[in-house]
């Protein structure tokens, strides 16, 4: 009987119960134990983690693989004691994908249809109509064209927008211009009225949305950050908004989560704060992907979505 340790100290008891129910419904012979009451640790085969305490995985001598509860794995890789030999599997889940596509479409359309202008007009009881640009006249740039960024790029392009994307390797996605490298990044930023960040957090991408990046974006552009908070240099964003260079930002992810109550983002008139809720990993769908990989491992087949430690995602 395989044993899985659920190591997610920031996840509450109700959500933990949903995970246990979903995992055991998909694999009835799986025993799920919740850290820290998961002894004996010598009998644990797999760990499902979200922000595990650093070093904790050293306590499990016979672990075969670690699963991340999220698509982003910087919360696992930041553990200096993470055993090097263990495969790390990231979350690829259809509900995460559909949730992210919905959220990105929602905010792209919000900005495309000038909703911040109408909201400001309403506060002043102003009745003024504005022509809407055609989607073909609106350029959307998506940073990261992986599972989530790729799906969002396709969905935005399907509505007729002029879409470009940035990735490490060149992509062939119908209706989406592919940009790579630093030159490609700046070409994309310079042409994009709306920039969506769906990159993983790695040493190469940390702090990349800074004053230089914002300065390259056209005046009046918008930012939607659904990647990680540490992609954005907070003070530079505030400066770009206050100077009027950027028109607004939707932020779903932050350097510190929960966002501290004193943070300037909460009350900034051009910022929409979402509590890391653009797309959540739903236990009932995500458990199927974890179990599928456990089965693969038990049958000696290669697991899917294994992280390339060298690239950090
Ligand atoms: P993937 O690994 O599938 O895609 C990552 C993309 O980023 C790839 O296209 C990759 O390029 C590109 N990339 C990585 N590093 C670089 C770089 N240095 N330069 C250019 N491109 C780069 O990840 P997902 O799409 O599944 O998830 C992306 C991120 O979204 C997660 O890591 C997480 O941070 C965030 N996320 C946020 C959520 C939220 O609720 N806000 C929910 C889920 C995820 P290539 O294709 O060439 O490898
Ligand atoms: C994730 C996240 O990485 O929820 O999946 O942010």
């Amino acid at each position: 009987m395989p044993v899985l340790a659920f190591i997610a100290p920031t996840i509450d008891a109700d959500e933990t119960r949903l995970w246990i129910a979903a995992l055991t419904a998909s694999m009835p012979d799986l025993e799920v134990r919740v850290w820290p009451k998961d002894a004996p640790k010598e009998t644990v085969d797999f760990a499902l983690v979200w922000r595990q305490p650093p070093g904790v995985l050293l306590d499990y001598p016979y672990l075969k693989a670690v699963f991340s509860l999220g698509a982003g794995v910087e919360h696992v890789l930041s553990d200096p004691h993470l055993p090097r030999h263990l495969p790390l599997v990231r979350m690829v889940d259809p509900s995460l994908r559909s949730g992210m596509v919905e959220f990105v479409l929602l905010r792209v359309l919000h900005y495309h249809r000038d909703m911040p202008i109408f909201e400001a007009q309403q506060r002043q009881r102003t009745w003024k109509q504005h022509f809407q640009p055609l989607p073909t006249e609106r350029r959307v740039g998506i940073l990261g064209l992986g599972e989530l960024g790729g799906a969002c790029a396709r969905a935005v392009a399907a509505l007729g927008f002029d879409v470009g994307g940035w990735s490490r390797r060149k992509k062939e996605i119908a209706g989406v211009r592919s940009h790579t490298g630093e030159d490609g990044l700046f070409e994309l930023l310079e042409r994009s009225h709306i920039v969506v960040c769906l990159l993983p957090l790695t040493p190469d991408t940390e702090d990349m949305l800074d004053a230089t990046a914002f300065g390259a974006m056209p005046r009046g552009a918008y930012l939607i950050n659904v990647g990680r908070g540490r992609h954005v240099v907070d003070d530079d964003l505030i400066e770009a908004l206050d100077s009027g260079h950027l028109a607004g930002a939707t932020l779903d992810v932050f350097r510190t989560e929960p966002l501290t109550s004193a943070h300037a983002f909460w009350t900034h008139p051009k910022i929409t704060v979402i509590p890391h809720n653009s797309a959540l990993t739903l236990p009932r769908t995500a458990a199927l992907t974890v179990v599928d990989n456990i089965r693969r491992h038990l049958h000696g087949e290669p697991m899917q979505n294994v992280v390339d430690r060298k690239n950090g995602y």
Side-chain angles (χ1 to χ4, degrees):
M1 180 193 236
V3 178
L4 176 138
F6 185 85
I7 311 175
T10 59
I11 290 189
D12 68 20
D14 287 343
E15 189 178 336
T16 301
R17 271 193 288 278
L18 290 179
W19 274 104
I20 297 170
L23 287 162
T24 51
S26 314
M27 190 174 203
D29 64 341
L30 180 70
E31 183 186 338
V32 181
R33 299 187 198 148
V34 180
W35 179 87
K37 295 184 182 159
D38 52 357
K41 297 191 195 287
E42 301 73 42
T43 55
V44 171
D45 304 293
F46 302 100
L48 177 56
V49 306
W50 178 252
R51 299 188 182 171
Q52 82 280 3
V56 80
L57 294 170
L58 295 175
D59 296 343
Y60 302 83
Y62 302 113
L63 217 47
K64 298 178 177 70
V66 178
F67 297 99
S68 165
L69 236 124
V73 288
E74 80 294 340
H75 65 103
V76 190
L77 293 173
S78 62
D79 179 349
H81 307 291
L82 183 69
R84 286 183 172 275
H85 67 281
L86 282 180
L88 169 62
V89 179
R90 63 190 209 88
M91 183 56 69
V92 174
D93 164 39
S95 65
L96 198 54
R97 191 183 307 121
S98 60
M100 189 57 83
V101 167
E102 286 166 8
F103 186 82
V104 167
L105 286 177
L106 178 77
R107 295 310 290 179
V108 166
L109 290 173
H110 180 87
Y111 291 136
H112 169 61
R113 293 304 306 267
D114 290 331
M115 292 310 288
I117 295 176
F118 291 115
E119 287 165 355
Q121 285 189 187
Q122 183 177 350
R123 285 193 291 276
Q124 291 166 3
R125 300 171 187 240
T126 300
W127 182 276
K128 185 171 185 317
Q129 295 177 326
H130 301 268
F131 283 115
Q132 75 272 16
L134 295 169
T136 47
E137 295 164 348
R138 188 76 81 182
R139 295 191 293 269
V140 180
I142 305 208
L143 308 181
L145 286 176
E147 286 293 331
L148 302 177
C152 291
R154 283 184 191 88
V156 176
L159 291 183
F161 289 92
D162 181 344
V163 183
W166 187 64
S167 51
R168 256 178 356 103
R169 294 160 291 189
K170 205 153 180 62
K171 302 282 169 190
E172 300 280 342
I173 303 178
V176 178
R177 276 165 220 263
S178 169
H179 298 254
T180 58
E182 186 158 345
D183 290 351
L185 171 66
F186 279 88
E187 277 162 25
L188 184 63
L189 292 174
E190 281 162 17
R191 71 186 307 280
S192 298
H193 300 122
I194 302 173
V195 170
V196 180
C197 176
L198 263 167
L199 288 163
L201 182 68
T202 69
D204 290 338
T205 64
E206 182 160 11
D207 293 333
M208 58 176 279
L209 295 173
D210 61 3
T212 309
F214 299 137
M217 287 161 64
R219 191 170 177 82
Y222 292 97
L223 172 70
I224 300 171
N225 185 21
V226 276
R228 284 290 184 259
R230 279 159 56 198
H231 288 131
V232 170
V233 177
D234 292 1
D235 289 344
D236 291 3
L237 176 61
I238 289 178
E239 171 85 32
L241 292 165
D242 287 348
S243 71
H245 185 70
L246 293 191
T250 297
L251 305 177
D252 180 56
V253 284
F254 304 90
R255 285 179 174 260
T256 304
E257 295 184 8
L259 185 62
T260 52
S261 59
H263 200 291
F265 286 167
W266 281 114
T267 51
H268 197 287
K270 293 183 178 171
I271 292 180
T272 301
V273 169
I274 306 289
H276 201 139
N277 215 158
S278 55
L280 293 183
T281 307
L282 297 185
R284 65 180 180 280
T285 54
L288 298 174
T289 74
V290 175
V291 161
D292 177 60
N293 264 327
I294 292 178
R295 289 212 172 93
R296 284 170 180 270
H297 193 283
L298 295 175
H299 294 146
E301 294 165 17
M303 291 189 294
Q304 293 183 314
N305 307 311
V306 175
V307 169
D308 180 337
R309 296 256 198 129
K310 186 168 48 66
N311 294 331
Y313 68 98

